[in-house]
Amino acid sequence: MVEWSDFERATIQDIFSKMEYEVVGPAALSRCLVVYPWTQRYFGNFGNLYNAAAIIANPLVAKHGTTILHGLDRAVKNMDDIKATYAELSVLHSEKLHVDPDNFKLLSDCLTIVVAAKLGKDFTGDVQAAFQKFLAVVVSSLGRQYH
Amino acid sequence: MSLNAKDKSVVKAIWAKVSPKSAEIGAEALARMLTVYPQTKTYFSHWSDLSPESPQVRAHGATIMAAVGDAVGKMDDLAGGLISLSELHAFKLRVDPANFRILAHNIILVLAMLFPADFTAEVHVSVDKFLQNLALALSERYR
């Protein structure tokens, strides 16, 4: 089981309580599709992903970015058992979506960078450590049911 | 994933913008690396103070970032331009190259934090490629 300090718990709750889902979600997903273009393989039916401008303006990307970010809410509410919380989602990503789990880390890095850009100096080293630890647990749980 | 003409021009442009803050960026990136990836502290056991405010950490971060800036001018031949630095890292420092990626992540994060409007996704991808190529050049002499 993952041990969370009081600071880590408070930091995660704080970041997500102030989260602008419709801004950060789309920004993180579109950044991932631009910076790591091979991730576009999972979005063949999203229409125009031809260049950075098209990706950033794409409404399906924006919508899906928001959806993914909201997907983190359950982990935020269940920090003491993220593994169980995401068992089903892990099966989905493996069996139905066939997503290479390495991609979870790429998206989580982009999300960290977008949140850092939003929070500026408030995103201290300790806050970064807590946020990255949280995302690492999420990423690990999402990869857990692959076989 | 080598650097094309567009990458080089994007990296030069963003470097021109951020270089006045080079020392701050480097200090911040190194401090964060030591905090967020504690295993990297193993390379600095000879320093008395590894906290983010440590003068040793901040000075060294500045040194590293100055070298990154120097590499911006050597993008046409990074491997050739970084031979002596590569030998230093290979034979003396013996830093596991996996750590170059970790530091690169923190440099990118600090750039996004300090220059949110300028560090667009397009700038991000070119900078990511540049740092990846820089890491490759730095590991050139390892074996």
Side-chain angles (χ1 to χ4, degrees):
Chain A
M1 217 196 76
V2 183
E3 300 278 343
W4 301 101
S5 70
D6 291 340
F7 172 80
E8 285 165 346
R9 285 181 198 276
T11 297
I12 298 305
Q13 298 307 315
D14 186 54
I15 289 177
F16 280 86
S17 71
K18 300 177 177 140
M19 184 70 81
E20 290 175 58
Y21 288 83
E22 273 108 41
V23 173
V24 173
L29 182 59
S30 58
R31 192 165 281 251
C32 186
L33 295 171
V34 170
V35 178
Y36 309 108
W38 53 94
T39 57
Q40 292 168 26
R41 75 188 307 283
Y42 302 108
F43 302 101
N45 57 347
F46 268 38
N48 187 0
L49 298 179
Y50 191 61
N51 55 33
I55 291 169
I56 290 163
N58 186 313
L60 289 175
V61 171
K63 182 159 175 276
H64 197 60
T66 308
T67 300
I68 293 175
L69 193 53
H70 273 297
L72 291 176
D73 290 342
R74 279 160 60 207
V76 174
K77 295 190 176 91
N78 290 292
M79 282 176 70
D80 287 316
D81 199 2
I82 295 178
K83 191 166 74 179
T85 301
Y86 283 140
E88 242 183 84
L89 258 182
S90 177
V91 171
L92 177 82
H93 282 77
S94 164
E95 307 293 297
K96 188 150 176 281
L97 305 177
H98 305 291
V99 177
D100 181 342
D102 284 350
N103 291 285
F104 303 148
K105 174 135 206 316
L106 299 179
L107 180 58
S108 105
D109 281 349
C110 286
L111 179 59
T112 302
I113 282 155
V114 169
V115 169
K118 277 230 127 233
L119 297 182
K121 296 279 170 125
D122 286 344
F123 199 69
T124 64
D126 290 328
V127 169
Q128 181 185 343
F131 192 67
Q132 290 197 200
K133 178 177 168 180
F134 172 74
L135 288 181
V137 174
V138 168
V139 163
S140 164
S141 306
L142 275 177
R144 197 116 192 332
Q145 305 302 324
Y146 279 64
H147 64 97
Chain B
M1 298 187 235
S2 49
L3 299 170
N4 58 36
K6 181 172 175 224
D7 293 318
K8 292 179 191 177
S9 128
V10 167
V11 169
K12 287 193 172 107
I14 191 71
W15 182 251
K17 185 97 208 250
V18 311
S19 57
K21 290 204 170 179
S22 167
E24 186 189 342
I25 294 167
E28 202 45 51
L30 188 64
R32 272 162 198 276
M33 186 185 81
L34 297 170
T35 304
V36 181
Y37 303 87
Q39 70 272 21
T40 58
K41 290 195 284 192
T42 56
Y43 290 99
F44 301 102
S45 49
H46 54 288
W47 287 349
S48 48
D49 181 4
L50 287 172
S51 70
E53 306 80 26
S54 155
Q56 290 159 315
V57 171
R58 300 205 80 87
H60 195 62
T63 300
I64 293 175
M65 209 60 203
V68 171
D70 197 57
V72 172
K74 296 178 175 168
M75 279 189 290
D76 291 328
D77 182 16
L78 280 172
L82 286 153
I83 287 180
S84 51
L85 262 181
S86 179
E87 284 177 352
L88 175 75
H89 284 77
F91 305 128
K92 189 153 178 279
L93 305 176
R94 286 182 277 204
V95 176
D96 188 317
N99 295 290
F100 300 151
R101 199 171 179 278
I102 292 176
L103 183 58
H105 167 74
N106 285 288
I107 290 173
I108 282 171
L109 189 140
V110 171
L111 288 174
M113 252 177 60
L114 297 179
F115 301 92
D118 300 288
F119 203 70
T120 60
E122 277 172 301
V123 170
H124 182 161
V125 60
S126 293
V127 170
D128 193 80
K129 285 174 76 178
F130 166 64
L131 292 175
Q132 197 181 78
N133 279 275
L134 179 50
L136 202 58
L138 217 50
S139 0
E140 183 61 31
R141 309 293 285 170
Y142 270 60
R143 57 178 175 173

